[in-house]
Amino acid sequence: EVSSDDPETAFCTLANREELNPEEDSIHHCLYQFTRNETLTETNKLLCDVCTQRHCGPKNNVKSEKKYVYTNAKKQMLVSLAPPILTLHLKRFQHAGFNLQKVNRHIKFPEVIDLAPFCTAKCKNVAEGNTKVLYSLYGVVEHSGTMRSGHYTAYVKMRAMNNHLSDLVLRGQSQALETEPVKGQWFHISDTHVQPVSVSKVLSSQAYLLFYERLL
């Protein structure tokens, strides 16, 4: 979807992201880096149709070679529609010469995360005046092993049915709800083995996929 927004507000977010100061090796830092403002220059310049038409005119001679005009630009990826279910996929590999190497370090993630600093100020399904878009953790996928082989396990929270989430999924309606984590019991699942675990065990896992449900 292409839209022409006021340059003064195009890069504004629901909450001030500059006050975050996210901790290294945290999911907040990952989101901050993924949604950072980038400047496109030199070989990354943007092809500008308006500039091209201004330079060459609206109609070009078919026999003549059209000269495209590229210009410096700013780019930023922000959330324009807050989803009922937020799925975060961590890139756990890096290039090591001609090979791929797994990234094993722990990435910190919270029980409740606020997506507002990463949402556009005109986020479509956030009520006007709201400066928080909260999500509660309910699932984690963990991978052990190497890039060539390994084993997937999961942490899942068993909790009461979330009627607010059902309304959000089925009707797109969002109403104020609790801002605390959804209560429930966490379980670790590995093949046919299932056992209850503490939330501290979950938060210390080496997350590969994170699943959050929207609270607010």
Side-chain angles (χ1 to χ4, degrees):
E1 180 181 348
V2 178
S3 61
S4 298
D5 290 336
D6 183 349
E8 296 297 324
T9 60
F11 299 99
C12 292
T13 51
L14 280 175
N16 190 351
R17 58 188 282 115
E18 300 309 322
E19 295 179 355
L20 279 178
N21 192 24
E23 184 181 358
E24 289 280 352
D25 293 337
S26 70
I27 199 68
H28 287 97
H29 188 261
C30 294
L31 286 168
Y32 186 87
Q33 292 296 317
F34 186 76
T35 59
R36 72 186 188 278
N37 196 316
E38 301 177 60
T39 302
L40 306 179
T41 60
E42 298 181 355
T43 56
N44 291 321
K45 284 184 177 180
L46 190 70
L47 172 60
C48 179
D49 291 332
V50 175
C51 300
T52 299
Q53 288 186 5
R54 187 182 298 129
H55 182 266
C56 303
K59 294 182 180 179
N60 295 280
N61 191 328
V62 178
K63 295 182 180 180
S64 65
E65 184 177 339
K66 187 174 182 179
K67 295 181 180 180
Y68 294 100
V69 177
Y70 294 81
T71 183
N72 293 335
K74 287 185 178 181
K75 169 190 170 185
Q76 186 174 27
M77 297 179 66
L78 295 171
V79 177
S80 64
L81 184 70
I85 300 297
L86 175 66
T87 305
L88 301 177
H89 183 184
L90 280 70
K91 179 183 175 183
R92 284 205 168 272
F93 68 89
Q94 62 186 5
H95 290 277
F98 293 102
N99 299 316
L100 291 177
Q101 184 178 24
K102 185 183 175 185
V103 177
N104 288 307
R105 67 178 179 270
H106 175 67
I107 301 298
K108 296 179 182 179
F109 54 94
E111 276 192 89
V112 173
I113 190 169
D114 186 4
L115 204 64
F118 317 109
C119 292
T120 174
K122 297 180 180 179
C123 199
K124 297 172 184 175
N125 58 347
V126 176
E128 188 176 352
N130 278 9
T131 57
K132 288 185 179 295
V133 184
L134 301 181
Y135 288 84
S136 177
L137 183 71
Y138 75 90
V140 180
V141 173
E142 185 178 38
H143 178 267
S144 58
T146 66
M147 291 292 295
R148 295 182 178 274
S149 64
H151 180 59
Y152 289 96
T153 58
Y155 294 91
V156 179
K157 180 189 281 189
M158 192 176 83
R159 68 248 192 262
M161 181 177 177
N162 189 337
N163 292 323
H164 164 76
L165 185 63
S166 299
D167 290 340
L168 193 59
V169 172
L170 298 174
R171 303 181 183 85
Q173 298 174 349
S174 176
Q175 298 176 357
L177 197 69
E178 296 294 329
T179 57
E180 298 297 322
V182 176
K183 295 180 180 180
Q185 173 63 55
W186 281 98
F187 290 89
H188 182 237
I189 304 170
S190 177
D191 293 334
T192 59
H193 301 281
V194 180
Q195 60 179 354
V197 293
S198 64
V199 65
S200 60
K201 174 68 174 176
V202 176
L203 297 179
S204 64
S205 65
Q206 192 182 106
Y208 177 59
L209 287 166
L210 295 168
F211 298 90
Y212 288 87
E213 58 184 322
R214 190 170 171 187
L215 291 176
L216 182 64

